[in-house]
């Protein structure tokens, strides 16, 4: 006999043994089987729910994406690529950024100097764990690279960005600075250890000195290999981040003109890094200076159909249109004579802004209380409305009649439901495990109450499941000689 035929005969014998075993099963076996399955699926569901509440993601999904997908040759499309900071890959950067649902807040506060003040006064945490976890992912993406092991301080900081304990991160940053002037270590201390904006600015200036040196060195070597290119991208990200935060320090310390100049210089030096949304910082600073002509010029450049919209863009455009007519606007007069061209333009701009994010007017009109803005925002969501109104409410109040025009226009705008940050949808595996647990628990209960009937159903289900295989076996029986078939059944 040939080898394939022997394998086939062996498989057939195994099938006969399994069939005989299933025919001898008692109802007690089905009760034990369904009960055990329900218990195991219930334990998995409890663990998955605990892990989701603590870390904001599914354990099974995280393991499959982080460990199994790379082994199978897959690519995690959800993780941001370091190539986003490359000047030569601006198109792919814009495409990948525009597909993101959650964005880093361009005007996020300093943890040590601002967010911690809320904790000291109220004893409550101003940031959610989910928000801080996203920031940790951002830090690892933009401030680390594969060549960090070549520089001891960077190797320490690579571990520091993964630390969940703030004191552990700060201690690691001090340890890195004992080895050399490390720009990312200064960044961490400025963000989390500094208790005042002036102290944060001092640390960022030290980070700038160290970051510029690293940037110049990696710039000369960037074309010598992929490793040097990755290092140059990281050094570019670090330098842009430092300069942007220094400009924000100047803005918070009242040196608004200096902040505007720093932001303009940064946008000229790195014009392709639009993912940092530095123009939103610039718009807020220009509004503080009441330099509305320059605000309009910035809007003309960034309020483009090819660029992703934001509440800052839409509502700033509406504010400028409203400024032209709001001081003399009267709802009663407008209803009698109709809207003028300028008033119509203002109303349309407000409608456009409200359609983009309908949550903002309630905060601008102080119908909802403001809280500290998060470090990440969901476009068109409540978190973006909080982040916008927190900084721009004063600019609307400064323009006479602007809030009145917004209120009159907003009342007539059609609203639609928009998701609220940081609402987290249940992962698929939690829903799947919950369904599996419920199904097996129901089977266990029915099998315990009606063991005979459920045994009949189980045998009928198994016979239906194995029907195609039984059909093949019958065909084989009709083809094989009767003597050979008799020997096989004896086996």
């Amino acid at each position: 006999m040939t080898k394939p035929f022997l394998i086939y005969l062996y498989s057939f014998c195994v099938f006969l043994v399994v069939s005989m075993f299933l025919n001898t099963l008692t109802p007690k076996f089905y009760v034990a089987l369904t009960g055990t399955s329900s218990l195991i699926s219930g334990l998995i569901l409890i663990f998955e729910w605990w892990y989701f509440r603590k870390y904001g993601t599914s354990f099974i999904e995280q393991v499959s994406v982080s460990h199994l997908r790379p082994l199978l040759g897959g690519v995690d499309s959800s993780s941001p690529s370091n190539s986003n900071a490359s000047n030569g890959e601006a198109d792919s950067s814009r495409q990948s950024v525009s597909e993101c649902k959650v964005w880093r807040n361009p005007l996020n506060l300093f943890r040590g100097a601002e967010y911690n003040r809320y904790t000291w006064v109220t004893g409550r945490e101003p940031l959610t764990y989910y928000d801080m976890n996203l920031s940790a992912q951002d830090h690892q993406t933009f401030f680390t690279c594969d060549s960090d092991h070549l520089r001891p301080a960077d190797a320490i900081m690579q571990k520091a960005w993964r630390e969940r304990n703030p004191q552990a991160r700060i201690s690691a940053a001090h340890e890195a600075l004992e080895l050399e002037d490390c720009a990312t270590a200064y960044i961490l201390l400025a963000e989390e250890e500094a208790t005042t904006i002036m102290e944060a600015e001092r640390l960022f200036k030290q980070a700038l000195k160290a970051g510029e040196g690293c940037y110049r060195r990696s710039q000369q070597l960037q074309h010598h290999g992929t490793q040097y290119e990755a290092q140059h991208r990281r050094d570019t990200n670090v330098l842009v981040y430092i300069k942007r935060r220094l400009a924000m320090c100047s803005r918070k310390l009242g040196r608004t003109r200096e902040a505007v100049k720093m932001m303009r210089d940064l946008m000229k030096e790195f014009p392709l890094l639009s993912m940092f949304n530095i123009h939103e910082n610039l718009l807020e600073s220009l509004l503080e200076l009441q330099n509305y002509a320059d605000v309009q010029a910035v809007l003309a450049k960034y309020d483009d159909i090819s660029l992703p919209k934001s509440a800052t863009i839409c509502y700033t455009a509406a504010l400028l249109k409203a400024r032209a007519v709001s001081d003399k606007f009267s709802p009663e007069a407008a209803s009698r004579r109709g809207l003028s061209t300028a008033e119509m333009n203002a109303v349309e701009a407000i409608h456009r802004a409200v359609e983009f994010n309908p949550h903002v007017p309630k905060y601008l009109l102080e119908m909802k209380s403001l809280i500290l803005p998060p470090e990440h925002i969901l476009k068109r969501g409540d978190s973006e409305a909080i982040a916008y109104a927190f900084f721009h409410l004063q600019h609307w109040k400064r323009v006479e009649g602007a809030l009145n025009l917004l209120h009159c226009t907003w009342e007539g705008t059609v609203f639609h439901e928009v998701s609220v940050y940081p609402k987290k949808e249940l992962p698929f595996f939690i829903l799947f495990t919950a369904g599996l647990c419920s199904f097996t628990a129901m089977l266990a209960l029915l099998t315990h109450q009606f063991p005979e009937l459920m045994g009949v159903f189980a045998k009928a289900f198994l016979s239906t499941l194995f029907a195609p295989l039984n059909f093949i076996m019958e065909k084989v029986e009709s083809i094989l000689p009767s003597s050979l078939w008799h020997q096989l059944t004896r086996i």
Side-chain angles (χ1 to χ4, degrees):
M1 297 182 183
T2 61
K3 186 176 181 180
F5 184 72
L6 292 175
I7 295 175
Y8 178 78
L9 290 179
Y10 176 76
S11 302
F12 178 70
C13 293
V14 172
F15 171 73
L16 290 177
V17 173
V18 173
S19 299
M20 293 176 62
F21 172 74
L22 293 176
N23 290 329
T24 58
L25 293 179
T26 62
K28 292 182 179 180
F29 171 80
Y30 293 108
V31 174
L33 177 64
T34 53
T36 304
S37 302
S38 178
L39 176 62
I40 294 175
S41 58
L43 293 175
I44 295 174
L45 175 62
I46 293 172
F47 176 77
E48 275 281 289
W49 178 252
W50 168 82
Y51 193 88
F52 172 72
R53 292 298 299 271
K54 187 172 183 180
Y55 300 108
T57 185
S58 165
F59 174 78
I60 300 176
E61 183 178 354
Q62 186 178 22
V63 170
S64 62
V65 171
S66 302
H67 301 286
L68 298 181
R69 179 176 285 186
L71 294 177
L72 298 175
V75 179
D76 186 5
S77 59
S78 63
S79 62
S81 173
N82 286 343
S83 62
N84 283 353
S86 174
N87 291 353
E89 300 178 2
D91 294 336
S92 61
S93 168
R94 180 174 297 174
Q95 181 180 0
S96 62
V97 171
S98 62
E99 293 172 355
C100 294
K101 294 182 179 180
V102 179
W103 294 58
R104 189 165 180 84
N105 182 10
L107 294 168
N108 66 302
L109 305 178
F110 292 86
R111 284 189 185 178
E114 294 176 306
Y115 283 122
N116 281 351
R117 289 186 184 179
Y118 180 83
T119 305
W120 298 336
V121 174
T122 65
R124 299 177 180 178
E125 292 293 336
L127 298 173
T128 64
Y129 182 87
Y130 178 68
D131 196 6
M132 292 188 289
N133 188 48
L134 290 175
S135 296
Q137 295 176 19
D138 291 340
H139 296 152
Q140 294 175 49
T141 299
F142 293 110
F143 297 155
T144 63
C145 66
D146 295 336
S147 62
D148 281 343
H149 63 278
L150 300 177
R151 297 193 291 201
D154 288 332
I156 294 175
M157 289 307 301
Q158 190 175 44
K159 297 179 181 179
W161 295 120
R162 298 193 183 101
E163 287 286 349
R164 299 188 182 276
N165 189 316
Q167 290 303 320
R169 292 195 296 270
I170 292 173
S171 299
H174 283 293
E175 183 182 351
L177 289 176
E178 291 177 359
L179 299 177
E180 60 177 313
D181 268 359
C182 180
T184 53
Y186 283 122
I187 289 176
L188 193 149
L189 296 178
E191 291 285 352
E192 302 195 29
E193 188 181 44
T195 56
T196 64
I197 299 297
M198 293 182 66
E199 186 179 354
E201 184 181 39
R202 177 181 61 82
L203 289 169
F204 272 120
K205 287 181 178 179
Q206 293 177 278
L208 179 62
K209 183 178 179 181
E212 285 179 336
C214 293
Y215 175 77
R216 284 193 295 268
R217 288 192 294 270
S218 62
Q219 190 177 31
Q220 297 173 355
L221 301 173
Q222 62 175 314
H223 301 299
H224 291 192
T226 55
Q227 175 180 312
Y228 294 103
E229 289 180 2
Q231 189 172 339
H232 178 63
R233 284 195 296 269
R234 188 274 306 275
D235 292 338
T236 302
N237 292 334
V238 170
L239 185 62
V240 172
Y241 185 90
I242 294 171
K243 290 187 175 183
R244 189 241 192 90
R245 293 303 258 179
L246 275 173
M248 294 177 70
C249 287
S250 298
R251 167 70 182 91
K252 293 174 185 292
L253 292 173
R255 306 193 304 268
T256 311
R257 295 187 183 279
E258 178 184 339
V260 168
K261 182 180 184 306
M262 295 173 68
M263 293 173 192
R264 289 189 184 278
D265 292 342
L266 183 57
M267 293 168 66
K268 289 179 181 178
E269 187 177 0
F270 302 97
L272 299 178
L273 293 183
S274 58
M275 62 178 176
F276 287 104
N277 292 327
I278 304 172
H279 59 275
E280 297 196 12
N281 299 87
L282 179 60
L283 284 172
E284 197 278 327
S285 299
L286 291 173
L287 286 171
E288 175 64 21
L289 295 174
Q290 301 184 44
N291 195 340
Y292 297 109
D294 284 352
V295 172
Q296 183 61 53
V298 175
L299 285 177
K301 182 177 180 181
Y302 290 96
D303 191 8
D304 187 81
I305 193 171
S306 63
L307 296 175
K309 293 290 184 294
S310 67
T312 301
I313 293 291
C314 294
Y315 278 89
T316 301
L319 176 60
L320 293 188
K321 294 285 178 59
R323 176 177 170 268
V325 298
S326 59
D327 57 336
K328 300 177 181 178
F329 179 77
S330 171
E332 294 80 10
S335 61
R336 290 195 307 267
R337 60 174 171 78
L339 295 175
S340 64
T341 302
E343 290 173 339
M344 183 63 71
N345 292 335
V347 169
E348 288 179 353
I350 292 176
H351 271 282
R352 174 195 177 206
V354 174
E355 283 296 321
F356 179 83
N357 192 323
H359 302 284
V360 173
K362 287 188 177 181
Y363 290 105
L364 292 179
L365 298 172
E366 299 183 83
M367 301 170 65
K368 293 180 71 174
S369 300
L370 276 175
I371 60 174
L372 292 180
E375 291 186 337
H376 289 79
I377 58 175
L378 183 67
K379 286 294 183 72
R380 312 187 74 176
D382 190 69
S383 58
E384 185 189 31
I386 292 172
Y388 172 79
F390 187 86
F391 293 100
H392 288 262
L393 176 58
Q394 57 178 331
H395 306 316
W396 280 81
K397 287 184 174 181
R398 188 180 293 123
V399 177
E400 183 182 356
L403 290 176
N404 178 46
L405 179 59
L406 172 66
H407 184 268
C408 296
T409 307
W410 171 68
E411 286 184 334
T413 304
V414 179
F415 294 96
H416 54 277
E417 292 294 329
V418 181
S419 59
V420 179
Y421 174 84
K423 182 179 179 181
K424 297 178 286 187
E425 296 182 357
L426 287 177
F428 165 76
F429 286 104
I430 288 184
L431 299 176
F432 175 78
T433 309
L436 179 63
C437 179
S438 302
F439 178 71
T440 53
M442 182 185 66
L443 284 182
L445 180 62
L446 292 175
T447 307
H448 183 267
Q449 294 294 328
F450 312 101
E452 298 291 342
L453 181 60
M454 292 302 294
V456 173
F457 280 138
K459 290 180 180 179
F461 173 75
L462 292 175
S463 62
T464 304
L465 185 64
F466 288 103
L469 195 55
N470 288 331
F471 176 76
I472 296 175
M473 293 300 104
E474 292 175 0
K475 292 297 183 181
V476 172
E477 182 180 359
S478 62
I479 295 174
L480 290 177
S482 58
S483 58
L484 178 59
W485 183 254
H486 179 68
Q487 295 295 328
L488 290 175
T489 54
R490 290 182 61 184
I491 295 176

